Amino acid sequence: MNILEGITITDFSRVLAGPDCSMWLADLGATVLKIESPQGDDTRHWKPPTFNDTSTYYLSVNRNKQSILLDLNNPDDLKHAHRIVEQSDVLIENFKPGGLKKFGLHHSQTLARHPQLIHAQISGFGSEEGAHLPGYDLLVQALSGFMHVTGDPDGPPQRGGVAIFDVVAGLNMPTAICAALYERERSGQGQHI
């Protein structure tokens, strides 16, 4: 099914929630350009297990994508990143809120330059009081109380068997992006999700 054929997505996310999101969109036919640091996505180094010497964790959420290595601290690479965003329909990122501002890629900056862009931001704790916290699934499980209701009722809090918050975010964000793309068809305007 290629219902998103012709849609270009620039994916600045890493680890699980963002890459999972962009993978589903790639499966629907979108062209996904995964921007990675020179070290690569963290999960490239999470070995074993491997398949052809590549981390299976990395492979599990990065199918159907084109990887581009860019160092955003390098002025030439940053210019290239901006050129890629200019030609994109959607930007996906999971930096801490405000983390892309120094690169001119914060949603307020990208939407000012590209009003038709859909800027999809995944964060563990939103943009207010918890924004400074890293959005790791284990931390979200602990602080949300999820671990308190998992495991033996008479035992200590227990981590869930899967990174449930990351997976749910990765599954739900594509719906919001598709809705924003549909709205853009009607209004001509992008938005921050």
Side-chain angles (χ1 to χ4, degrees):
M1 186 178 337
N2 290 322
I3 61 172
L4 293 180
E5 187 173 352
I7 298 295
T8 300
I9 296 171
T10 301
D11 182 7
F12 286 95
S13 70
R14 59 185 192 79
V15 185
L16 182 52
D20 188 38
C21 168
S22 62
M23 178 189 69
W24 294 117
L25 298 167
D27 288 350
L28 292 172
T31 297
V32 176
L33 306 173
K34 180 173 176 59
I35 309 300
E36 298 186 53
S37 75
Q39 296 76 35
D41 188 298
D42 301 24
T43 61
R44 283 184 179 271
H45 310 287
W46 294 1
K47 302 174 184 181
T50 62
F51 179 77
N52 291 334
D53 201 37
T54 302
S55 161
T56 55
Y57 190 108
Y58 175 83
L59 292 173
S60 74
V61 289
N62 285 291
R63 67 176 174 251
N64 297 328
K65 301 178 190 179
Q66 301 171 37
S67 289
I68 301 172
L69 297 181
L70 293 175
D71 180 352
L72 298 181
N73 291 305
N74 175 302
D76 290 334
D77 283 3
L78 184 57
K79 283 181 192 174
H80 190 61
H82 279 271
R83 284 193 298 271
I84 291 170
V85 170
E86 278 175 29
Q87 298 170 19
S88 297
D89 298 287
V90 179
L91 183 156
I92 298 171
E93 53 107 342
N94 61 355
F95 281 66
K96 284 185 188 175
L100 284 175
K101 194 168 245 177
K102 66 183 176 183
F103 301 116
L105 294 167
H106 184 266
H107 64 85
S108 63
Q109 297 162 313
T110 59
L111 291 171
R113 287 190 306 273
H114 316 293
Q116 292 187 320
L117 183 71
I118 310 299
H119 189 122
Q121 180 182 18
I122 299 173
S123 68
F125 297 98
S127 60
E128 299 300 323
E129 291 179 21
H132 66 285
L133 295 170
Y136 292 112
D137 195 271
L138 181 59
L139 185 58
V140 178
Q141 285 189 33
L143 293 175
S144 69
F146 179 83
M147 288 174 66
H148 183 70
V149 297
T150 305
D152 186 333
D154 298 322
Q158 188 73 35
R159 175 185 180 184
V162 67
I164 190 70
F165 291 93
D166 279 339
V167 171
V168 169
L171 286 171
N172 282 308
M173 184 59 92
T175 302
I177 289 170
C178 287
L181 287 167
Y182 180 71
E183 171 58 27
R184 187 182 74 175
E185 284 295 312
R186 297 180 347 171
S187 69
Q189 291 297 305
Q191 57 186 292
H192 173 229
I193 305 169

